[in-house]
Structure formats: C-alpha cells, structure tokens
Amino acid sequence: MRIPALAALMMFAAGTALAHGYKAGSVEIEHPWARATAPSAQNGAAYLVLNGTGKENDRLVSAATPVAEKAELHTHLMDNGVMKMRPVDAIEVTPGSPTALQPGGLHIMLLGLKQPLVKGKAFPLTLTFEKAGPVTVQVDVQGAGAAAPSHEGMGDSHKTH
Ligand SMILES: [Cu+2]
C-alpha cells in the first residue's frame, strides 16, 4: 500500500503533479496554453509563464512536440510598422521576474502541425532549459478567440527567412 503513495510523491518531486504548473530544476512553468487552430492551419503557437525560483538565471533553449514538425522560440517585433515574428536563440528565466510568453510577444511557434489543435484537448510539449534540462508539460488548447492578437501574417514572415 505504500508504493502508490511513494510514486505520487516522486511525481510531485518531479513537478508533474501540480495543478497545471510544472517545475524543472528551479524553473517553474505555469499555465501552458495554445489557441485552437483551423483544420487547415499549418502553424500554431504555445504560451506559458516561466518563473525562476532559484538564485541563478536559466534559459529556455529549445522546445519540441509530437503535434508539430518543429517548435521554435519566437518573439514579435515591429518592422517598419508591421508586427513580425523572429526566432530567438533562447528565452531568459530570471529569478523573481516572471517571463510571460503570450500572444503578441514571446511564444513557442509550432511549425508544420500534424493535426489541428482542438479546443478542450491538450498536447505534450517538451521544454529544454540550459541548466534545468528537459521537462514535458501538457498544453491546454483554448478557444480560437482566446486573448489578444492572432498570428495572422505569420505565414508571410516565415517565408522571408
Ligand atoms: Cu512565431
């Protein structure tokens, strides 16, 4: 009878048993989510909040998911008055200063979706941190109209690089 309790404890220690919050080393990952995509959509994006709880900075250096060919770390910037996306090498995790990945800002770009992201479903996303290593989180898919601006126009900006 002790084994299930121990297993639960180990899961908790690994950070997978928190209520939609995850932990890798000293990095907390809060509320991963994505917008639902149209059946024909080729790309999507995932958002979450990174929170450093240790003394040292860490960096998110890569991401991967089985639902897309490729996941890239992106940011948005203004280029001649047009909002465009650019890949970034890493996303900093600074203790005491949460980094929000959100629509219109930093995000994890899902390129070449193998299936639409369906509202109410979730998919796994593996985040790799420079120091904390990899952690797999479940990304909740929310309605297509959830929060802020969409990724319209991203197809164009992706073609340019
Ligand atoms: Cu992007």
Side-chain angles (χ1 to χ4, degrees), residues 37-39 41-44 64-71 110-117:
T37 59
Q42 294 188 357
N43 302 326
T65 176
V67 303
E69 301 287 342
K70 200 175 171 195
L110 309 176
L111 298 165
L113 287 176
K114 295 174 184 172
Q115 61 199 70
L117 303 180

Short mmCIF file of all heavy atoms in Angstrom, two decimals, residues 37-39 41-44 64-71 110-117:
data_model
loop_
_atom_site.label_atom_id
_atom_site.label_comp_id
_atom_site.label_asym_id
_atom_site.label_seq_id
_atom_site.Cartn_x
_atom_site.Cartn_y
_atom_site.Cartn_z
N THR A 37 -6.66 25.78 -33.49
CA THR A 37 -6.34 26.18 -34.86
C THR A 37 -7.40 25.65 -35.82
O THR A 37 -8.07 24.65 -35.54
CB THR A 37 -4.97 25.62 -35.30
OG1 THR A 37 -4.99 24.19 -35.19
CG2 THR A 37 -3.85 26.16 -34.44
N ALA A 38 -7.50 26.32 -36.96
CA ALA A 38 -8.39 25.86 -38.02
C ALA A 38 -7.84 24.54 -38.57
O ALA A 38 -6.64 24.31 -38.51
CB ALA A 38 -8.46 26.90 -39.12
N PRO A 39 -8.73 23.71 -39.12
CA PRO A 39 -8.28 22.40 -39.64
C PRO A 39 -7.17 22.54 -40.69
O PRO A 39 -6.32 21.65 -40.80
CB PRO A 39 -9.55 21.82 -40.27
CG PRO A 39 -10.66 22.48 -39.54
CD PRO A 39 -10.19 23.86 -39.21
N ALA A 41 -4.89 24.95 -40.75
CA ALA A 41 -3.74 25.73 -40.28
C ALA A 41 -2.46 24.90 -40.26
O ALA A 41 -2.48 23.73 -39.87
CB ALA A 41 -4.03 26.26 -38.88
N GLN A 42 -1.38 25.52 -40.70
CA GLN A 42 -0.11 24.80 -40.70
C GLN A 42 0.69 25.07 -39.43
O GLN A 42 1.55 24.28 -39.05
CB GLN A 42 0.72 25.22 -41.91
CG GLN A 42 0.06 24.78 -43.21
CD GLN A 42 0.94 25.02 -44.42
OE1 GLN A 42 2.03 25.55 -44.28
NE2 GLN A 42 0.47 24.62 -45.56
N ASN A 43 0.42 26.22 -38.83
CA ASN A 43 1.20 26.61 -37.66
C ASN A 43 0.31 26.97 -36.48
O ASN A 43 -0.84 27.36 -36.65
CB ASN A 43 2.06 27.84 -38.00
CG ASN A 43 2.99 27.57 -39.18
OD1 ASN A 43 3.46 26.45 -39.35
ND2 ASN A 43 3.23 28.58 -39.97
N GLY A 44 0.88 26.85 -35.30
CA GLY A 44 0.21 27.27 -34.09
C GLY A 44 1.25 27.86 -33.16
O GLY A 44 2.42 28.01 -33.53
N ALA A 64 10.02 21.05 -28.18
CA ALA A 64 9.63 20.04 -29.16
C ALA A 64 8.28 19.47 -28.78
O ALA A 64 7.93 19.42 -27.59
CB ALA A 64 10.66 18.91 -29.20
N THR A 65 7.51 19.08 -29.77
CA THR A 65 6.20 18.48 -29.51
C THR A 65 5.86 17.49 -30.61
O THR A 65 6.21 17.72 -31.78
CB THR A 65 5.10 19.56 -29.42
OG1 THR A 65 3.83 18.90 -29.25
CG2 THR A 65 5.04 20.42 -30.67
N PRO A 66 5.20 16.39 -30.26
CA PRO A 66 4.81 15.43 -31.29
C PRO A 66 3.73 15.96 -32.23
O PRO A 66 3.51 15.37 -33.29
CB PRO A 66 4.31 14.22 -30.49
CG PRO A 66 4.09 14.70 -29.11
CD PRO A 66 4.94 15.91 -28.91
N VAL A 67 3.06 17.07 -31.89
CA VAL A 67 1.97 17.54 -32.76
C VAL A 67 2.45 18.42 -33.91
O VAL A 67 1.68 18.78 -34.78
CB VAL A 67 0.86 18.30 -31.97
CG1 VAL A 67 0.28 17.42 -30.87
CG2 VAL A 67 1.36 19.62 -31.42
N ALA A 68 3.74 18.78 -33.90
CA ALA A 68 4.26 19.63 -34.98
C ALA A 68 5.62 19.13 -35.44
O ALA A 68 6.36 18.50 -34.68
CB ALA A 68 4.37 21.08 -34.49
N GLU A 69 5.94 19.44 -36.70
CA GLU A 69 7.24 19.04 -37.24
C GLU A 69 8.36 19.66 -36.44
O GLU A 69 9.42 19.07 -36.24
CB GLU A 69 7.38 19.53 -38.69
CG GLU A 69 6.32 19.00 -39.66
CD GLU A 69 6.52 17.54 -40.01
OE1 GLU A 69 7.63 17.03 -39.79
OE2 GLU A 69 5.55 16.90 -40.47
N LYS A 70 8.13 20.90 -36.00
CA LYS A 70 9.20 21.66 -35.40
C LYS A 70 8.60 22.68 -34.43
O LYS A 70 7.53 23.22 -34.69
CB LYS A 70 9.92 22.41 -36.53
CG LYS A 70 11.30 22.87 -36.21
CD LYS A 70 11.92 23.47 -37.47
CE LYS A 70 13.23 24.14 -37.13
NZ LYS A 70 13.67 25.01 -38.22
N ALA A 71 9.31 22.93 -33.34
CA ALA A 71 8.90 24.00 -32.43
C ALA A 71 10.06 24.97 -32.31
O ALA A 71 11.21 24.56 -32.12
CB ALA A 71 8.53 23.43 -31.06
N LEU A 110 4.77 26.59 -33.26
CA LEU A 110 4.61 25.20 -33.67
C LEU A 110 4.48 25.18 -35.18
O LEU A 110 3.47 25.64 -35.73
CB LEU A 110 3.37 24.59 -33.00
CG LEU A 110 3.30 24.80 -31.47
CD1 LEU A 110 1.98 24.24 -30.93
CD2 LEU A 110 4.48 24.16 -30.77
N LEU A 111 5.50 24.71 -35.85
CA LEU A 111 5.55 24.76 -37.31
C LEU A 111 5.26 23.39 -37.91
O LEU A 111 5.82 22.38 -37.50
CB LEU A 111 6.94 25.21 -37.76
CG LEU A 111 7.34 26.61 -37.28
CD1 LEU A 111 8.83 26.83 -37.45
CD2 LEU A 111 6.56 27.66 -38.04
N GLY A 112 4.38 23.38 -38.88
CA GLY A 112 4.04 22.12 -39.52
C GLY A 112 3.19 21.24 -38.62
O GLY A 112 3.57 20.13 -38.27
N LEU A 113 2.02 21.76 -38.24
CA LEU A 113 1.13 20.98 -37.37
C LEU A 113 0.74 19.67 -38.06
O LEU A 113 0.38 19.66 -39.23
CB LEU A 113 -0.14 21.78 -37.05
CG LEU A 113 0.01 22.95 -36.09
CD1 LEU A 113 -1.33 23.69 -35.98
CD2 LEU A 113 0.45 22.47 -34.71
N LYS A 114 0.81 18.60 -37.31
CA LYS A 114 0.42 17.31 -37.85
C LYS A 114 -1.07 17.06 -37.66
O LYS A 114 -1.63 16.13 -38.22
CB LYS A 114 1.23 16.21 -37.17
CG LYS A 114 2.72 16.32 -37.47
CD LYS A 114 3.51 15.31 -36.65
CE LYS A 114 5.00 15.49 -36.88
NZ LYS A 114 5.78 14.67 -35.95
N GLN A 115 -1.67 17.87 -36.82
CA GLN A 115 -3.09 17.75 -36.54
C GLN A 115 -3.55 19.11 -36.01
O GLN A 115 -2.74 19.85 -35.46
CB GLN A 115 -3.33 16.66 -35.49
CG GLN A 115 -2.64 16.97 -34.18
CD GLN A 115 -2.48 15.74 -33.30
OE1 GLN A 115 -1.70 14.83 -33.59
NE2 GLN A 115 -3.21 15.69 -32.21
N PRO A 116 -4.83 19.44 -36.21
CA PRO A 116 -5.31 20.71 -35.66
C PRO A 116 -5.26 20.68 -34.14
O PRO A 116 -5.34 19.61 -33.53
CB PRO A 116 -6.76 20.80 -36.14
CG PRO A 116 -6.94 19.71 -37.13
CD PRO A 116 -5.89 18.68 -36.88
N LEU A 117 -5.09 21.86 -33.55
CA LEU A 117 -5.16 21.97 -32.09
C LEU A 117 -6.63 22.20 -31.75
O LEU A 117 -7.24 23.18 -32.18
CB LEU A 117 -4.30 23.13 -31.61
CG LEU A 117 -2.82 23.06 -32.04
CD1 LEU A 117 -2.07 24.27 -31.51
CD2 LEU A 117 -2.18 21.77 -31.57
#
